[in-house]
Amino acid sequence: MRRKHLVAIVVVIFLTWNFLMYYMLVSKNPGKLGSISVEDQLKILQGDIRHQLSHNSELLQHLRKFREQKLSEELDRKIHQTTTPVPYDANRFILPILLIACDRTTVSRSLDLLIKYRPNKNKFPIIVSQDCGHKPTADVIQRYVMEHDIKHIKHPNISDIHLPWPQKKFQGYYKLSRHYRWALNQVFHTFNHSAVVIVEDDLDISPDFYEYFSATFPILHQDPSLWCVSAWNDNGKLDMVSDDAELLYRSDFFPGLGWMMEKSTWLEIGPKWPDAFWDDWMRHPDQRRGRACIRPEICRTSTFGKKGVSKGLFYEKHLKFIKLNSKFVPFTQKDLSYLLKDKYDTYFTKLVKDTPEVTVAEAMSGHRSNMKALKILYSTKDEYKSTAKKLGIMDDFKAGVPRVAYNGVVSFMYRGQRIYLSPPPGWKGYNIKWS
Ligand code: UD1
Ligand code: MN
């Protein structure tokens, strides 16, 4: 009886223990036996959150795009409408000259001419912005501060820019773009000027440099389809220009090299200013937005910078042949309203349309040398390039625009005769793929 009792107790204990173990295992680790494990539940939750996040960021992207589009539409409207611009007082108008310098003591050559031809130091204050922290150059500039009352500002950030290996060779382009950003912010935000003419430390200027910018400023200000005035003609070599120093054009190609812009333009492009290659960046449709620059037939600047950031090859092959204008044109006494878009487009389109069309071979043969002007058509990129090469003008494109082109038309002189290299009638605009 006692033995039976004991067995019963052992059996009960054994069963209870098993039951307890079973219960504990199931409740601790239900996944193996129950429906969904906590881990899986977490995974599902994680998935849900991820989905929600990507949905939100998509939404944010849409909103951003929408905002950009709205801003860009607004800008386009501004550019293409003809509103009366805010008037300005021409007598009190100040046009600063911003000279970008670095480590070349020959900045004195640029400064000498800027001072020599300057008609009024109050109207045209000279600001030299120096990058690179080069002491000998700083000393040279300092002399002009003492003697000619110019301003010398120094870029505070002259640190190296860390770039991955393939980009390393472009360090110079990065530094000068950073310098431009800073210097232009100084001009427009610190000194609060409303326009600027930018020159570099290896540029000579023509005697009518100030006259040219003074006279074109009101046109730039009035015409929202213009965003710059430049002193430069990319095909400005001696035998490619006429001797008509008065002749000015509109150009879809941003020439740089001595150029003027208004504060409103800086407010638009300054905040997104690129880390490098600022001039090509400006030529992109995202920045240019169909706007043109005024440029002269004969350059009002020329460069003596044999060695520069872009290594000088271009100088020997091209830049040193550029003709710098030597005649003073009293532009401020002339009516330049023909440069306003509506007038200019009507006149220029008709001019090109009425010019007799010839082939390149005919133009080169000289058989039509009795004509004042000739027109050669191009329909493809290769056609353009081959014609340009034959006639000696620059054959490259930036963002699909040939140098100096306006509405696709490139105007230059060939053996004393005006040539219009022009797309055929019905032209649909530049093709950004042409390069
Ligand atoms: C070329 C262009 C130049 C343009 C530049 C950027 C020509 C003839 N010149 O420069 O107009 O701005 O590409 O695409 O096509 N500088 C600095 N910090 C530096 C190095 C240079 O501020 O670390 C300044 C120089 O003082 C100068 C300017 O940047 O005023 C251009 O430098 P330069 O060495 O003359 O280069 P380019 O090859 O002529
Ligand atoms: Mn240069």
Side-chain angles (χ1 to χ4, degrees):
M1 184 66 196
R2 265 184 78 195
R3 212 187 142 107
K4 258 190 186 171
H5 204 122
L6 197 70
V7 168
I9 288 172
V10 168
V11 167
V12 167
I13 288 174
F14 179 69
L15 284 176
T16 313
W17 184 78
N18 269 312
F19 180 75
L20 276 174
M21 283 312 284
Y22 173 78
Y23 184 74
M24 269 166 66
L25 275 173
V26 169
S27 62
K28 264 203 167 158
N29 204 358
K32 300 238 163 72
L33 305 154
S35 53
I36 305 172
S37 70
V38 173
E39 216 170 282
D40 285 345
Q41 282 184 18
L42 275 176
K43 270 187 199 149
I44 290 168
L45 191 66
Q46 231 173 15
D48 281 353
I49 291 173
R50 225 178 262 143
H51 182 77
Q52 191 65 40
L53 274 176
S54 89
H55 186 74
N56 284 352
S57 84
E58 230 170 76
L59 200 70
L60 198 68
Q61 236 168 357
H62 278 307
L63 282 172
R64 273 206 194 111
K65 238 189 220 156
F66 183 72
R67 195 186 65 169
E68 257 164 44
Q69 206 181 323
K70 281 281 150 216
L71 283 174
S72 137
E73 277 170 17
E74 203 177 301
L75 212 58
D76 279 342
R77 228 185 345 260
K78 245 201 242 160
I79 291 166
H80 298 295
Q81 78 191 165
T82 30
T83 49
T84 353
V86 189
Y88 72 99
D89 183 347
N91 292 320
R92 288 172 58 190
F93 176 65
I94 288 172
L95 185 56
I97 311 297
L98 173 66
L99 170 51
I100 300 287
C102 167
D103 58 1
R104 296 189 278 214
T105 53
T106 49
V107 64
S108 57
R109 174 165 164 180
S110 299
L111 274 168
D112 285 340
L113 286 184
L114 281 170
I115 286 159
K116 179 176 172 193
Y117 295 135
R118 180 165 66 161
N120 180 331
K121 71 176 188 181
N122 298 318
K123 196 172 165 68
F124 304 103
I126 296 171
I127 304 166
V128 182
S129 180
Q130 192 196 354
D131 196 14
C132 313
H134 190 244
K135 174 84 166 59
T137 304
D139 291 344
V140 169
I141 299 166
Q142 213 50 42
R143 250 179 29 221
Y144 290 81
V145 174
M146 316 294 274
E147 288 167 28
H148 299 281
D149 199 18
I150 67 157
K151 221 186 209 104
H152 182 190
I153 56 175
K154 292 179 182 169
H155 187 200
N157 184 3
I158 54 172
S159 62
D160 267 355
I161 299 168
H162 291 288
L163 296 165
W165 168 73
Q167 247 93 33
K168 249 197 157 63
K169 57 177 177 296
F170 299 129
Q171 173 92 223
Y173 288 102
Y174 281 80
K175 283 190 174 170
L176 79 89
S177 197
R178 179 176 68 180
H179 181 200
Y180 261 76
R181 182 197 290 122
W182 179 81
L184 285 165
N185 276 329
Q186 290 293 304
V187 167
F188 289 120
H189 297 304
T190 308
F191 306 132
N192 208 18
H193 287 297
S194 51
V196 70
V197 174
I198 303 152
V199 288
E200 296 183 343
D201 61 351
D202 55 355
L203 293 182
D204 286 333
I205 61 162
S206 68
D208 56 359
F209 177 86
Y210 292 95
E211 183 71 8
Y212 172 63
F213 285 110
S214 301
T216 48
F217 178 79
I219 307 291
L220 174 67
H221 185 67
Q222 215 179 109
D223 184 345
S225 70
L226 287 171
W227 71 327
C228 104
V229 175
S230 167
W232 192 253
N233 169 6
D234 274 292
N235 287 320
K237 291 185 190 171
L238 185 62
D239 51 350
M240 284 167 199
V241 292
S242 75
D243 48 20
D244 182 359
E246 259 186 56
L247 194 52
L248 306 180
Y249 295 82
R250 292 174 68 102
S251 166
D252 292 322
F253 190 93
F254 171 75
L257 293 166
W259 59 287
M260 169 167 69
M261 78 169 148
E262 287 196 273
K263 182 174 185 171
S264 56
T265 305
W266 183 247
L267 292 180
E268 178 198 318
I269 63 174
K272 52 173 181 166
W273 191 252
D275 291 336
F277 314 115
W278 67 268
D279 43 356
D280 283 346
W281 174 84
M282 283 195 61
R283 292 170 182 136
H284 191 276
D286 286 354
Q287 280 63 249
R288 190 171 74 82
R289 300 181 161 276
R291 284 171 290 190
C293 296
I294 293 174
R295 60 114 182 148
E297 168 82 358
I298 307 175
C299 290
R300 262 60 185 184
T301 55
S302 74
T303 172
F304 57 86
K306 288 193 181 75
K307 273 185 256 151
V309 172
S310 57
K311 302 283 188 281
L313 268 175
F314 198 47
Y315 183 87
E316 286 305 323
K317 271 172 61 183
H318 179 74
L319 296 170
K320 73 172 179 191
F321 302 109
I322 293 287
K323 176 184 175 182
L324 177 63
N325 178 56
S326 56
K327 281 182 238 158
F328 185 96
V329 176
F331 282 117
T332 55
Q333 286 153 48
K334 307 209 174 267
D335 177 12
L336 299 183
S337 66
Y338 70 91
L339 290 163
L340 295 169
K341 185 175 171 59
D342 290 347
K343 279 195 190 179
Y344 189 87
D345 284 8
T346 313
Y347 139 85
F348 192 65
T349 312
K350 184 170 176 353
L351 180 72
V352 175
K353 188 171 157 272
D354 293 347
T355 300
E357 183 193 327
V358 296
T359 61
V360 198
E362 271 176 297
M364 293 175 76
S365 72
H367 292 149
R368 305 288 292 273
S369 59
N370 56 323
M371 306 295 300
K372 251 181 81 183
L374 298 172
K375 173 172 64 190
I376 303 170
L377 297 185
Y378 70 93
S379 312
T380 64
K381 177 185 112 177
D382 291 339
E383 229 172 355
Y384 181 84
K385 284 200 171 250
S386 107
T387 308
K389 269 200 190 90
K390 283 178 191 155
L391 301 175
I393 57 162
M394 298 204 70
D395 67 345
D396 59 338
F397 302 85
K398 300 277 176 158
V401 184
R403 286 185 193 261
V404 319
Y406 187 66
N407 289 343
V409 180
V410 171
S411 166
F412 58 97
M413 298 298 283
Y414 178 77
R415 297 191 186 150
Q417 204 168 19
R418 173 67 56 195
I419 306 274
Y420 298 111
L421 194 45
S422 165
W427 182 68
K428 296 273 186 315
Y430 298 105
N431 182 345
I432 195 166
K433 292 196 193 101
W434 288 19
S435 61

